[in-house]
Amino acid sequence: MKSNSANANKEAFYILVSIILGLLVGFALYYSGNQELANYIKPVGDVFLKFLKMIIVPLVLASIFMAIINIGSPDELGSMGIRAMAYYFMTTAIAVFIGIIMVNLIQPGVGVDISSITSELSEAQTQKFQNSASKGLGSTIVGVLLDAIPTNPFKAMVDMKILQIIVFSLFLGIVSLLNKKVAMPLINFMESLEKVSMIMIEVIMKIAPFGIFALMTYVIANSGFNAIYGLSKYMIAVILGLFFHFLVLIFIASWRHKSSPFFIIKSCIPPMLTAFSTASSASTLPITMNAVQDNLGVNKKTAQFVLPLGATINMDGTALYESVAVIFIGQAYGLDLSIANQIIIFITASLAAVGAAAIPGAGLVTMSIVLSAVGYPLEGIALILAVDRILDMFRTMINVFGDCVGTVVVDSFSKNDR
Ligand code: ASP
């Protein structure tokens, strides 16, 4: 696979430096009691985030559409879709399995003094978790599927409903492919929109180091580190689990890409660290799109098709985190942790992650489905609330890395079809 190595090196280096500086400045502001100074830096991060979000709708619309046109055959499209789904399914299952092993080995919830770390759930939060839990898994999955079909594609774009945009764009693309003559002006328009979007991403990449620095500084300066001490074992279980899953993904990527782990990591640093600082797979999508094509040399049509889908439904990190968090709550409250319950957690956490939106904090909401599936109290969420943002950063980073590896895997298997 071809790649643009020198560029990748430079990007990775600047972004690494920016994240380290952000961490240092953030810690300095936090420990010197000057958190409010971070408010002056935050707008730089907001500008970066806004530009990223600005590009999502045109990018998803044009990418999926052009992927269909470029793939050119419904058969190839189908096999690419099946491969992507198989990859999502398998890696999510591996992630949850690792999470369950970690939390059973480390047992972070055993002996936890519940009263010392419980933060209050606001009324709005309780309502949100209850709503999500009361829907149950069945209707959540059916709901996700039904909700994916837009009744008004323009509203879907206005509301940034990525799954709805994907479905509309798929439909539009397939019909255009089968009626190329009438669709030619539309195809030309979409082709141009896709190309210009990619150029816009390159421009946004130039401010990425500044944006990431600002976002990191703000988050670290405003983190409640006091809460971390009480929850450190739980955090270690999540982060170690994510790390092991990261190793599994690197192994898969190196094998399918036929290159060194170091090359894979370096190529994925820009999207991974953007995911870390934004805690949103959706906001990171433009950077991910750029990295898999430019740095990993993934075929354009694979990236166009697999990435928007992956960013929305493939969340290994979230699935792993949900399983650890639920079992942690079970341990802390001394609830039933039988194999049967852990199997229910395994299944529901895998599916609840699919239902989680690609935005900050979404995993925490769908976790209530897992809790209620095993009959654990929703109030347990209050135990882990204080460190959720920090863990969100780690799990989003793995979600996005999983998406990058997914395109490599699907691309490597689809080569024979070309
Ligand atoms: N923030 C995650 C993401 O965007 C979802 C989650 O909350 O776990 O991928």
Side-chain angles (χ1 to χ4, degrees):
M1 293 182 193
K2 78 172 173 44
S3 70
N4 188 345
S5 190
N7 214 7
N9 278 341
K10 242 188 357 205
E11 266 172 16
F13 175 74
Y14 286 137
I15 289 180
L16 260 180
V17 169
S18 69
I19 211 131
I20 292 169
L21 281 180
L23 279 170
L24 291 176
V25 176
F27 277 123
L29 294 180
Y30 179 80
Y31 285 108
S32 63
N34 288 311
Q35 280 99 331
E36 72 290 345
L37 288 183
N39 294 336
Y40 296 105
I41 302 175
K42 186 170 176 274
V44 179
D46 290 339
V47 168
F48 173 56
L49 253 183
K50 286 194 162 193
F51 272 102
L52 282 180
K53 287 185 181 163
M54 188 196 292
I55 217 80
I56 296 173
V57 172
L59 181 68
V60 172
L61 180 74
S63 288
I64 295 279
F65 182 92
M66 284 315 296
I68 313 295
I69 302 298
N70 290 334
I71 291 169
S73 100
D75 278 359
E76 201 186 321
L77 183 69
S79 50
M80 204 183 258
I82 289 169
R83 281 171 187 139
M85 288 301 172
Y87 167 84
Y88 298 157
F89 180 75
M90 280 193 271
T91 50
T92 303
I94 295 172
V96 181
F97 185 69
I98 293 175
I100 292 180
I101 299 282
M102 287 318 295
V103 70
N104 279 292
L105 283 180
I106 297 180
Q107 306 232 321
V110 175
V112 157
D113 176 9
I114 296 177
S115 58
S116 72
I117 48 175
T118 300
S119 8
E120 283 291 305
L121 286 182
S122 70
E123 222 166 87
Q125 279 172 322
T126 311
Q127 192 63 46
K128 199 160 66 173
F129 297 139
Q130 271 169 357
N131 283 347
S132 170
S134 65
K135 273 194 222 149
L137 192 63
S139 53
T140 299
I141 297 294
V142 175
V144 167
L145 291 177
L146 272 183
D147 193 52
I149 305 169
T151 44
N152 180 347
F154 296 101
K155 184 156 189 322
M157 290 180 220
V158 171
D159 295 341
M160 243 204 217
K161 300 238 173 164
I162 300 183
L163 220 46
Q164 293 193 352
I165 302 172
I166 291 176
V167 170
F168 172 67
S169 198
L170 268 174
F171 190 28
L172 192 68
I174 292 171
V175 171
S176 302
L177 178 70
L178 300 176
N179 299 280
K180 259 192 167 160
K181 217 167 140 206
V182 276
M184 218 49 217
L186 183 63
I187 295 174
N188 288 337
F189 170 77
M190 290 291 200
E191 187 176 19
S192 168
L193 182 64
E194 193 270 333
K195 285 195 173 134
V196 176
S197 297
M198 292 306 289
I199 299 172
M200 284 159 85
I201 295 169
E202 306 242 333
V203 177
I204 298 169
M205 287 294 294
K206 304 248 183 294
I207 61 163
F210 301 101
I212 290 174
F213 163 76
L215 290 171
M216 271 320 286
T217 304
Y218 182 77
V219 170
I220 297 295
N222 287 288
S223 293
F225 286 109
N226 292 336
I228 289 181
Y229 302 127
L231 290 166
S232 51
K233 248 176 133 186
Y234 158 67
M235 292 181 72
I236 288 171
V238 175
I239 294 172
L240 215 55
L242 291 173
F243 177 70
F244 283 126
H245 188 63
F246 179 57
L247 295 183
V248 172
L249 291 175
I250 290 178
F251 172 77
I252 297 174
S254 299
W255 163 51
R256 296 309 306 170
H257 196 273
K258 299 186 179 64
S259 46
S260 73
F262 177 70
F263 175 81
I264 302 288
I265 297 173
K266 186 186 70 182
S267 303
C268 296
I269 277 182
M272 283 173 73
L273 294 187
T274 306
F276 188 72
S277 58
T278 60
S280 166
S281 305
S283 300
T284 308
L285 181 60
I287 309 266
T288 319
M289 190 64 98
N290 177 284
V292 296
Q293 291 182 45
D294 277 15
N295 304 349
L296 287 171
V298 166
N299 187 282
K300 196 178 176 96
K301 56 188 180 183
T302 312
Q304 285 173 330
F305 182 62
V306 178
L307 267 189
L309 210 59
T312 332
I313 61 175
N314 179 43
M315 299 203 181
D316 298 356
T318 300
L320 186 152
Y321 146 85
E322 290 192 4
S323 64
V324 175
V326 170
I327 295 177
F328 168 77
I329 291 169
Q331 291 170 346
Y333 280 83
L335 302 169
D336 175 13
L337 290 164
S338 58
I339 299 283
N341 262 0
Q342 303 219 20
I343 292 175
I344 296 176
I345 293 172
F346 177 87
I347 297 168
T348 48
S350 307
L351 296 174
V354 174
I359 55 172
L364 192 68
V365 180
T366 59
M367 197 183 78
S368 51
I369 300 169
V370 188
L371 280 173
S372 71
V374 280
Y376 292 179
L378 289 186
E379 300 82 67
I381 296 179
L383 279 180
I384 54 168
L385 208 59
V387 292
D388 190 65
R389 172 67 195 205
I390 296 181
L391 292 181
D392 199 1
M393 294 159 78
F394 283 98
R395 67 184 187 249
T396 308
M397 185 163 74
I398 297 304
N399 287 346
V400 167
F401 187 60
D403 297 336
C404 294
V405 177
T407 53
V408 168
V409 171
V410 174
D411 199 40
S412 72
F413 283 109
S414 302
K415 260 187 185 159
N416 302 337
D417 300 345
R418 294 200 275 270

